Structures are given as structure tokens and as C-alpha cells.
């Protein structure tokens, strides 16, 4: 290790090349990182959905769910299977163990489902799919003064088509209105007049509104596919369905005996924004999409849309990129404040040039981390930014210890190069011990199972990578810079100009700072240390008592515990519960 440190100290050009490499590749690595609100995780869920019209929950359970669950037993890689049976449908959720390939397990589950040979007659084909991971990005409301819900829904569909055409946006959901349906209101007197029953109308609609294949016809030259495409999606398309043919050959059409109209279901589902009827549009991001980029594109679209239309407008309801940008700003602020504090305090007690090179290690450590972060699927999210904020306070410790020790060796009369080598070698054992203990403490997050491990594991990766890069910076880059710095040169009391004059004036501050540090060392720390060494049992007992008080406070409830801290929200939610059967108009009023 001594030869490596000595080589880089004597060949400062090599150190500068390393620094330039960290800067260039670090910037590229930082720009290439995607952003998300929480760390990205691979899907571990496989869903099996069954639809059996007219079946009770018990029939779904006995005829479908239990048969599939029996075939899933014994498949290696499955952690847990849960199911729910409802009227007309059922669902099975399969959770995969960590370390197993989700695509391979999807094939295994499909094979297990296919081995069931006796599903009920009339059941629709089963749907087996893996649950895709997506996270909310931005949500906005479409509203207008006295604009009907049907018009808002059509406009929302147009907005959805526009957003899907933007690169980086694929997942869009529209909500805030009931399901659409076609209402056929039959006139009973008219039915009696034509001698038509309700069943005849139902059969006429069912037999006419179809989309199916009827085989094919092969000839010597071509093959024709027979297909009946008569499915209708709007009420006016059903008006001319023949219901009955009279004796004189006249056809009774559906519009002759019923009023047909498109309408929303009677489910009381509505969304309001600023007391105006609205439709909510939510954009979510997949693992391959960037949250901040998608949110910026949506906000640009919203601004352009509001400029083009005056009767309706789009308003952002929730934007997760705001929180992410705030965390990034907080990180930048903390980094700047950290470097300034290092510069100020080291300039007071040590040397201004030494303080500069110690603070220089902060951005180098982060840029080095960005080079490798992408290889561990790290994204810019609230947890990774939290890890960066944590590590800021740890980074400068090693640099301060090394810089101070090098300066001490120089003051003892050694040459700058020799002082840099000896000063660094002397503190390598305690610095390595401090780094290793910190790495071990944060590495425990990597062994946590489930969602908690996926989330906080990214904090560990950030802290570990940054500390490892800072170790390289502190042991190789920092000593080389200090060895060739003017901080390790004989003091020249000749009057200076410009920045050199500032450094000269700071020496006066250094003298006062040195006197203050010596006073605290001799008058405060030394007496306490002597007393502690002379009364070892008493000193040890004080710390044991403090530990017992801590455990007692936690057990007695004085120090409360919680899995996550309680923080105040920026939203207020009000839930109104009314008696069953209350009219939607009363609830709304």
C-alpha cells in the first residue's frame, strides 16, 4: 500500500487523470440514471383470473379455485398462494420466492393450470398473467363549467390518445365516471299490441349483436374465412334489429317497441374538482420509464391544452415529481452547506488550502458513485436521495483525519512528499476500521426480505458505493494534492495580492483557532480523560447505567417505537359514511 500511495504522490498527473475520469464518467452516469418515486422492483406476483357468468362464490371456489390450487402445490419457487371467490368470478394470486425468474415461473403456473381437465361448462377462458410493476407519476382533472359528463369522457379519451403518442408515457387510466351501458326501455303496451314477449326481444338482441367466426371455405386458388361481425357499441346501432315478422311480411324493429339510448350505469360514481364535474386522468410509469421526464412532458401538454381550450381545462391534482425534485434540491443544499462548513472550520483550526482539498473530496465521491450506481439498477428516488443525504456527513471524516495528520508530519520537519506518505500510512488502520464498520452496518439492509429489503437495500448500495469511492479519494487523490499544495510550503510573510492575500490573512485566524483548540484540549478534554482513566470502574458504570435507562425508557413507553415515523401530510381527507340505502343525491348534497 505504501508503494501505491508513494507512486501517485510522486506522479500527480496520474491523479489528475483519475479525477478527470471521475468527473466525465460520473456526469454521464448521473444523467443516465432514471428517476422514480420509490426504488424499482421486479414483479413477484402472478395473477390467475376466472370468469364464470351466473356462478355463486361457492361454485367458483369448488369448481375452479380449489382445482387450480391443488395443481400449484409442490411447484418449486412459489412462496404463497391466496385466492378470492366472488359471484361470477374468482382470482388467485401466486407470490414468487426471491431469486426465481418471474417469466419461468409464469410458464410453470400456466402448465399447472392447463393440467386441470374438468373446468365447469360455460366458464370463460382463464387469464394467467404476471403483475406488471407501475407507479403513479402525475394525476390531473379535466373539468369545465356546465360540461356534461359524456362530453368530458370523450375529451378524456382524446387526451389519452394524445398522451400515448408521447415517448416515455404508456400507462394511462381514466376514472371518475360510472360504467357505460346501452339502455333498452321496452313499452309494455306496445309489446302486447304486437304480441311480443320480453324473451323474444332478449333473444333478438343476443342473436343479432355478435362477433364470431364460422369456419372457412377452401378453393383451388384461395381460402376464405367466414366471419360474422355484427357487434354494436352504441344504442342507435341497435335500432334496426328485427324483433318479429308479422303475417303481412312487415318486420317489427327494436326501435318500434323500445326506447334505446346510451347512458351511464346507475352506480353513484362521480368526481368533482372545484365544485365542477370532472374526470380524473392518472399517468403511471413502468420500470423502463422515467418519472420526472414523464411528468414534465405531461405538464407541458397540460399547459398547451389549457391555452387551446377555454370551456374545459386541465388541473394537476397530484404530482410526485415535485417531491422528488424537492429531495434533490435538499441534497444539493446539504452538499453545498457541508462543503462550506468544512472550508470554514478547517480554515479556522487548520489551513485554508487543506480545507479546500478536503471539501474537494465530496463531489468526487458522489461522481464516482454515479459511475457504478447504474450497474446495481439504482434510480434517483426518495430512498436513494435519502442515502446520499446520510452519507454526506460521513464522507469528510477520513479526509479531515488524513489532511491533519499530513500537516502534522510536515510541521515536524519532513518534506511535503514524505509528510504525505508517512501521514497517510499512519492513519490507514483506523480509517479502514471506521469505513468497514460503517459498511457492515449498512450492508444489513441487503439481507432483509420482501418489500422492505427492496426499498432500503438501495440506501445501502448508495452508502456503500459512495464510501468505497471516498476511501480511494482519501488514500490516493487527497495525499497527492496535499503533497503538491502550497499548504505544505514554508510560510512567506511578504505582502501578497489577490487570493494569496486572503490566505495570508487566514493565517492570523489559524493562530487564534490553534490557541482555542489547545485550550480545549488542555483545560477541558485532558482533565476528563485523566479522571476517566483513574476511575475506570466508575466511568464504565456510568455508561452501563445510561444503557439500562435507555432500555427501561423504551420498555416503559417513555421512548415510543414505531415502524415508520409519523409525519404531517400535505392533504386532508374526509370520509362520509351514510346509512345503507341512502340516495346518492342526499349524500352529494
Amino acid at each position: 500500500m505504501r508503494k501505491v500511495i508513494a507512486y501517485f504522490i510522486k506522479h500527480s498527473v496520474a491523479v489528475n487523470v483519475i479525477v478527470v475520469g471521475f468527473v466525465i464518467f460520473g456526469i454521464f452516469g448521473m444523467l443516465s440514471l432514471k428517476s422514480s418515486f420509490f426504488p424499482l422492483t421486479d414483479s413477484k406476483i402472478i395473477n390467475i383470473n376466472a370468469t364464470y357468468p351466473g356462478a355463486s362464490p361457492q361454485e367458483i371456489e369448488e369448481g375452479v379455485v380449489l382445482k387450480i390450487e391443488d395443481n400449484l402445490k409442490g411447484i418449486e419457487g412459489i412462496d404463497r398462494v391466496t385466492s378470492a371467490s366472488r359471484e361470477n368470478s374468482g382470482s388467485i394470486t401466486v407470490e414468487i420466492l426471491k431469486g426465481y425468474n418471474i417469466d419461468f415461473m409464469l410458464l410453470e403456473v400456466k402448465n399447472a393450470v392447463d393440467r386441470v381437465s374438468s373446468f365447469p361448462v360455460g366458464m370463460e377462458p382463464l387469464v394467467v398473467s404476471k403483475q406488471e410493476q407501475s407507479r403513479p407519476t402525475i394525476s390531473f382533472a379535466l373539468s369545465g363549467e356546465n360540461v356534461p359528463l359524456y362530453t368530458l369522457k370523450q375529451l378524456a379519451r382524446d387526451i389519452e390518445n394524445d398522451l400515448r403518442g408521447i415517448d416515455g408515457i404508456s400507462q394511462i387510466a381514466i376514472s371518475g365516471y360510472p360504467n357505460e351501458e346501452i339502455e333498452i326501455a321496452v313499452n309494455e303496451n306496445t309489446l302486447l299490441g304486437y304480441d311480443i314477449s320480453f324473451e323474444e326481444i332478449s333473444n333478438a338482441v343476443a342473436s343479432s349483436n355478435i362477433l364470431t367466426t364460422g369456419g372457412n371455405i377452401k378453393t383451388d386458388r384461395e381460402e376464405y374465412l367466414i366471419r360474422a361481425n355484427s357487434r354494436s357499441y352504441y344504442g342507435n346501432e341497435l335500432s334496426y334489429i328485427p324483433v318479429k315478422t308479422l303475417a303481412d311480411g312487415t318486420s317489427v324493429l327494436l326501435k318500434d317497441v323500445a326506447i334505446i339510448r346510451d347512458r351511464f350505469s346507475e352506480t353513484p360514481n362521480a368526481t368533482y374538482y372545484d365544485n365542477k364535474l370532472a374526470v380524473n386522468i392518472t399517468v403511471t410509469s413502468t420500470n423502463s420509464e422515467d418519472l420526472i421526464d414523464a411528468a414534465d412532458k405531461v405538464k407541458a401538454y397540460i399547459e398547451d391544452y389549457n391555452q387551446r381550450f377555454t370551456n374545459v381545462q386541465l388541473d394537476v391534482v397530484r404530482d410526485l415529481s415535485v417531491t422528488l425534485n424537492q429531495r434533490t434540491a435538499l441534497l444539493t443544499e446539504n452538499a453545498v452547506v457541508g462543503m462550506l462548513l468544512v472550508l470554514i472550520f478547517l480554515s479556522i483550526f487548520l489551513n485554508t488550502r487543506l480545507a479546500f482539498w478536503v471539501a474537494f473530496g465530496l463531489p468526487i465521491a458522489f461522481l464516482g458513485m454515479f459511475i457504478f450506481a447504474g450497474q446495481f439498477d439504482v434510480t434517483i428516488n426518495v430512498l436513494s436521495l435519502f442515502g446520499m443525504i446520510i452519507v454526506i456527513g460521513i464522507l469528510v471524516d477520513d479526509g479531515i483525519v488524513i489532511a491533519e495528520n499530513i500537516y502534522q508530519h510536515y510541521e515536524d520537519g519532513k518534506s511535503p512528499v514524505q509528510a504525505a506518505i508517512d501521514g497517510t500510512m499512519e492513519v490507514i488502520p483506523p480509517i479502514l476500521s471506521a469505513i468497514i464498520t460503517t459498511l457492515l452496518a449498512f450492508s444489513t439492509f441487503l439481507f432483509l426480505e420482501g418489500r422492505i429489503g427492496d426499498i432500503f437495500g438501495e440506501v445501502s448500495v448508495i452508502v456503500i458505493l459512495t464510501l468505497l469511492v471516498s476511501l480511494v479519494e482519501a488514500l490516493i487523490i487527497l495525499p497527492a494534492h496535499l503533497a503538491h499544495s502550497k499548504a505544505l510550503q514554508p510560510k512567506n510573510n511578504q505582502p501578497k495580492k489577490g487570493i494569496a492575500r486572503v490566505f495570508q490573512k487566514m493565517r492570523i485566524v489559524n493562530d487564534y483557532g490553534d490557541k482555542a483548540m489547545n485550550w480545549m484540549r488542555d483545560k477541558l478534554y485532558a482533565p476528563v480523560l485523566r479522571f476517566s482513566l483513574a476511575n475506570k470502574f466508575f466511568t464504565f458504570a456510568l455508561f452501563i447505567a445510561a444503557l439500562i435507562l435507555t432500555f427501561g425508557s423504551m420498555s416503559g413507553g417513555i421512548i415510543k417505537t414505531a415502524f415508520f415515523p409519523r409525519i404531517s401530510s400535505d392533504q386532508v381527507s374526509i370520509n362520509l359514511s351514510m346509512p345503507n340505502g341512502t340516495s346518492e343525491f342526499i349524500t352529494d348534497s
Side-chain angles (χ1 to χ4, degrees):
M1 188 66 190
R2 186 182 187 89
K3 292 182 178 180
V4 175
I5 295 174
Y7 173 83
F8 283 103
I9 289 176
K10 294 176 181 178
H11 300 84
S12 59
V13 175
V15 173
N16 293 332
V17 171
I18 294 176
V19 171
V20 172
F22 275 148
V23 172
I24 294 175
F25 292 107
I27 291 175
F28 277 110
M30 180 177 62
L31 296 177
S32 64
L33 292 180
K34 295 194 294 262
S35 60
S36 61
F37 193 76
F38 283 116
L40 302 181
T41 56
D42 294 327
S43 175
K44 298 178 183 177
I45 304 295
I46 296 176
N47 294 318
I48 306 173
N49 295 311
T51 302
Y52 185 11
S56 66
Q58 185 176 358
E59 291 174 319
I60 293 288
E61 176 77 12
E62 295 176 354
V64 181
V65 172
L66 291 180
K67 294 179 180 179
I68 295 176
E69 288 181 342
D70 288 340
N71 277 12
L72 291 175
K73 293 178 180 178
I75 296 180
E76 185 178 359
I78 293 181
D79 182 24
R80 183 170 56 179
V81 178
T82 56
S83 62
S85 300
R86 299 172 292 272
E87 289 187 5
N88 305 318
S89 66
S91 61
I92 301 174
T93 301
V94 182
E95 299 181 34
I96 306 302
L97 285 171
K98 184 178 181 180
Y100 283 81
N101 184 279
I102 184 67
D103 295 318
F104 173 77
M105 295 304 302
L106 179 62
L107 293 176
E108 290 288 303
V109 172
K110 285 184 176 180
N111 291 335
V113 173
D114 292 339
R115 287 197 297 268
V116 180
S117 58
S118 57
F119 283 126
V121 177
M123 189 184 77
E124 296 183 6
L126 290 167
V127 178
V128 183
S129 61
K130 66 178 180 180
Q131 180 177 304
E132 296 292 344
Q133 296 287 356
S134 62
R135 290 156 300 282
T137 299
I138 185 171
S139 177
F140 56 96
L142 170 66
S143 61
E145 198 70 41
N146 300 321
V147 179
L149 182 60
Y150 182 80
T151 303
L152 291 176
K153 182 254 180 182
Q154 293 299 115
L155 292 174
R157 291 297 181 192
D158 295 336
I159 294 172
E160 178 185 9
N161 294 332
D162 292 342
L163 292 177
R164 289 193 189 279
I166 299 176
D167 186 38
I169 299 176
S170 61
Q171 306 295 317
I172 304 168
I174 303 176
S175 60
Y177 54 85
N179 294 327
E180 292 181 89
E181 61 185 18
I182 299 175
E183 181 185 74
I184 302 176
V186 180
N187 190 306
E188 185 177 0
N189 294 328
T190 305
L191 289 183
L192 293 174
Y194 286 108
D195 192 22
I196 300 174
S197 65
F198 286 102
E199 185 178 357
E200 288 179 284
I201 293 180
S202 175
N203 292 336
V205 173
S207 60
S208 299
N209 191 35
I210 58 174
L211 177 63
T212 185
T213 59
N216 53 15
I217 299 176
K218 293 183 179 180
T219 65
D220 294 336
R221 293 186 176 183
E222 295 180 271
E223 180 177 343
Y224 298 94
L225 178 66
I226 302 174
R227 187 175 182 83
N229 187 1
S230 182
R231 176 166 290 180
S232 300
Y233 297 94
Y234 299 97
N236 57 0
E237 297 174 355
L238 302 176
S239 299
Y240 294 93
I241 293 178
V243 177
K244 184 177 183 179
T245 303
L246 302 179
D248 59 358
T250 304
S251 294
V252 180
L253 303 178
L254 184 61
K255 68 183 182 65
D256 298 329
V257 295
I259 298 174
I260 309 164
R261 60 175 179 170
D262 298 307
R263 56 166 293 172
F264 291 103
S265 67
E266 295 181 353
T267 305
N269 181 13
T271 301
Y272 291 87
Y273 185 87
D274 283 344
N275 293 325
K276 293 179 290 187
L277 195 63
V279 171
N280 195 61
I281 304 172
T282 301
V283 177
T284 57
S285 299
T286 62
N287 283 4
S288 60
E289 294 170 346
D290 188 270
L291 184 146
I292 293 180
D293 181 62
D296 290 341
K297 291 178 178 178
V298 171
K299 284 184 283 191
Y301 176 84
I302 291 173
E303 184 178 357
D304 178 69
Y305 189 91
N306 289 336
Q307 290 177 352
R308 290 187 289 118
F309 297 94
T310 56
N311 57 332
V312 292
Q313 64 177 3
L314 301 177
D315 297 280
V316 176
V317 177
R318 189 185 184 198
D319 183 6
L320 294 182
S321 68
V322 172
T323 303
L324 202 55
N325 288 326
Q326 289 174 345
R327 293 290 179 91
T328 306
L330 178 63
L331 171 66
T332 306
E333 179 185 346
N334 283 359
V336 172
V337 171
M339 287 189 290
L340 287 177
L341 289 175
V342 170
L343 284 171
I344 292 172
F345 283 98
L346 286 186
S347 296
I348 293 174
F349 297 107
L350 199 59
N351 184 286
T352 306
R353 287 187 171 91
L354 290 181
F356 171 79
W357 288 116
V358 171
F360 180 77
L362 272 176
I364 294 299
F366 277 112
L367 289 172
M369 178 270 295
F370 285 128
I371 295 176
F372 307 102
Q375 308 303 318
F376 295 90
D377 296 326
V378 172
T379 62
I380 302 297
N381 57 74
V382 292
L383 269 301
S384 62
L385 291 174
F386 172 68
M388 296 178 200
I389 293 173
I390 288 177
V391 81
I392 282 179
I394 308 174
L395 288 180
V396 296
D397 294 347
D398 303 335
I400 292 173
V401 172
I402 292 176
E404 193 277 335
N405 204 49
I406 290 175
Y407 193 73
Q408 181 65 43
H409 279 266
Y410 171 73
E411 287 184 327
D412 291 340
K414 296 182 180 179
S415 66
V417 172
Q418 193 62 41
I421 295 173
D422 294 343
T424 304
M425 290 299 302
E426 190 174 23
V427 294
I428 282 181
I431 285 178
L432 284 178
S433 300
I435 291 290
I436 290 173
T437 53
T438 306
L439 295 181
L440 289 176
F442 278 94
S443 64
T444 54
F445 288 127
L446 299 174
F447 300 97
L448 295 177
E449 294 289 339
R451 180 63 173 162
I452 296 298
D454 294 333
I455 290 178
F456 288 99
E458 195 150 307
V459 177
S460 293
V461 172
I462 290 293
V463 173
I464 291 172
L465 288 178
T466 310
L467 287 178
L468 290 176
V469 175
S470 73
L471 186 62
V472 174
E473 195 279 334
L475 297 180
I476 294 177
I477 298 176
L478 178 62
H481 284 154
L482 292 180
H484 301 280
S485 170
K486 291 183 179 181
L488 303 187
Q489 291 182 4
K491 296 180 181 180
N492 186 354
N493 294 323
Q494 295 295 327
K496 305 291 184 180
K497 295 182 180 180
I499 190 68
R501 186 179 181 184
V502 176
F503 290 138
Q504 190 177 39
K505 294 293 184 183
M506 283 301 300
R507 291 175 187 171
I508 301 174
V509 180
N510 293 153
D511 293 337
Y512 285 107
D514 192 47
K515 293 177 180 178
M517 187 65 70
N518 291 337
W519 182 85
M520 287 188 288
R521 180 193 64 191
D522 298 334
K523 301 298 182 181
L524 298 180
Y525 175 65
V528 174
L529 181 60
R530 293 191 190 97
F531 177 82
S532 300
L533 293 175
N535 302 275
K536 298 176 183 178
F537 180 79
F538 176 75
T539 304
F540 185 71
L542 286 178
F543 286 98
I544 295 297
L547 182 64
I548 293 174
L549 286 175
T550 301
F551 282 115
S553 300
M554 294 177 64
S555 302
I558 299 175
I559 301 177
K560 301 184 183 302
T561 59
F563 192 73
F564 280 110
R566 286 189 174 185
I567 57 175
S568 53
S569 173
D570 56 357
Q571 296 180 346
V572 176
S573 178
I574 302 174
N575 296 316
L576 176 64
S577 298
M578 301 290 285
N580 290 334
T582 304
S583 168
E584 61 180 286
F585 301 104
I586 296 176
T587 304
D588 185 57
S589 62

